Amino acid sequence: MTAQQTELQDLPLDLKPELLPKHVAVIMDGNGRWAKRQGLPRIMGHKAGVDALKNLLRCCDDWGIEALTAYAFSTENWGRPHEEVDFLMTLFQRVLRQELREMMEENVQMKFVGNLSALPRPLQAEISHSMEQTRNNRGIKFTVATNYGGRQEILQACRTIAHKAQQGLLQPDEIDEATFERHLYTQGICDPDLLIRTSGEMRVSNFLLWQIAYAEIYITEALWPDFNRNEFHRALAAYQQRNRRFGKV
């Protein structure tokens, strides 16, 4: 058995390894509704959501998917109740500290994208530490979008490019897609092939607006804490039935 066959030994038999997406992005929606259905406070939904994300990351690694990007906290999420936001910031910090050892053991390379300078300083420190410790890992690339907004990302890229042009460092006719992408938060990360949104909502919510131009979109009614390997299997099976023409015939 080859190394690749060993890595993919848990892949469901109906999925074709050569047709798997290289990069999966997820909008993790429904934590609060899940908690309400269970008769629990909203914060318990967020805790359960962390477990679901950890399980999905391991599943992607087991099944040979190269990259996973998760929408953890949007720029709009600051409008939630202060108690919930404070809990989320503390939860992010605690999970990073607790999970770093396993991330190293599993060779995960972590990256955080978004306006990280607006986050609490202790959380910024944990994020910097996690990225530095895992930057040489060669396993799955795990990106966490935190205080992220797609429109804001595009605006900051435009501002940076405009400043360079103003300073004579860049000519207008030199600005192409590759130039623009180098100024996004996600520079160096390939675009998602598959975008999954849970809880049945039919919108992209300001997530990776540039990057998902040709991503296949899969919507499931499952709430995020209930998104398990079986749900992911269904998403991948649906993806493999798509005909990705990229605007061609």
Side-chain angles (χ1 to χ4, degrees):
M1 182 178 288
T2 66
Q4 183 178 13
Q5 287 172 327
T6 301
E7 290 174 3
L8 301 182
Q9 62 181 333
D10 293 330
L11 185 69
L13 295 177
D14 62 321
L15 296 180
K16 299 178 181 179
E18 68 274 14
L19 294 182
L20 288 172
K22 292 183 178 180
H23 183 178
V24 174
V26 290
I27 300 176
M28 307 179 293
D29 196 14
N31 289 343
R33 275 167 283 176
W34 180 89
K36 184 177 181 180
R37 289 181 185 178
Q38 308 294 322
L40 300 170
R42 285 179 60 85
I43 60 172
M44 298 305 294
H46 294 309
K47 286 184 176 180
V50 169
D51 291 336
L53 180 58
K54 287 165 54 179
N55 290 335
L56 178 59
L57 178 62
R58 292 193 176 96
C59 185
C60 286
D61 197 26
D62 289 344
W63 292 357
I65 292 168
E66 298 175 9
L68 173 67
T69 296
Y71 202 7
F73 190 86
S74 74
T75 51
E76 293 78 18
N77 286 156
W78 294 107
R80 293 186 176 188
H82 293 304
E83 297 79 6
E84 183 174 349
V85 172
D86 288 345
F87 174 81
L88 285 170
M89 295 298 116
T90 302
L91 179 63
F92 294 160
Q93 184 180 340
R94 185 169 68 247
V95 168
L96 278 176
R97 188 181 305 121
Q98 292 174 345
E99 299 297 326
L100 181 57
R101 181 176 178 179
E102 285 191 31
M103 295 292 175
M104 293 298 296
E105 291 174 351
E106 296 177 22
N107 207 26
V108 176
Q109 184 183 98
M110 295 190 70
K111 183 171 182 176
F112 288 78
V113 296
N115 181 11
L116 305 180
S117 63
L119 299 173
R121 289 190 179 277
L123 178 54
Q124 289 185 49
E126 289 292 343
I127 286 173
S128 296
H129 180 65
S130 296
M131 289 196 293
E132 176 61 27
Q133 290 295 304
T134 64
R135 67 186 179 92
N136 292 322
N137 289 350
R138 292 295 176 261
I140 186 170
K141 299 181 186 301
F142 179 37
T143 304
V144 184
T146 308
N147 195 27
Y148 175 90
R151 288 182 174 180
Q152 292 80 355
E153 177 184 32
I154 290 171
L155 284 173
Q156 70 84 26
C158 289
R159 291 191 190 103
T160 303
I161 291 171
H163 283 307
K164 288 185 177 181
Q166 189 178 48
Q167 295 166 5
L169 301 174
L170 190 64
Q171 296 302 312
D173 58 4
E174 295 175 335
I175 302 171
D176 55 14
E177 289 189 13
T179 301
F180 193 80
E181 287 170 356
R182 286 197 297 271
H183 293 82
L184 295 173
Y185 295 137
T186 55
Q187 60 169 315
I189 303 171
C190 66
D191 291 343
D193 303 295
L194 172 63
L195 172 66
I196 298 172
R197 178 162 190 155
T198 56
S199 84
E201 302 292 348
M202 301 281 190
R203 55 183 179 273
V204 296
S205 295
N206 202 19
F207 184 45
L208 300 177
L209 298 181
W210 174 277
Q211 297 87 342
I212 63 171
Y214 281 101
E216 298 295 325
I217 299 176
Y218 177 84
I219 308 294
T220 173
E221 294 291 333
L223 301 178
W224 177 248
D226 292 327
F227 191 84
N228 54 26
R229 289 197 176 211
N230 290 333
E231 291 288 345
F232 190 41
H233 178 190
R234 281 191 277 271
L236 294 177
Y239 171 82
Q240 294 199 343
Q241 297 300 313
R242 308 279 178 91
N243 183 8
R244 306 190 73 203
R245 297 186 298 272
F246 299 97
K248 302 174 184 177
V249 177

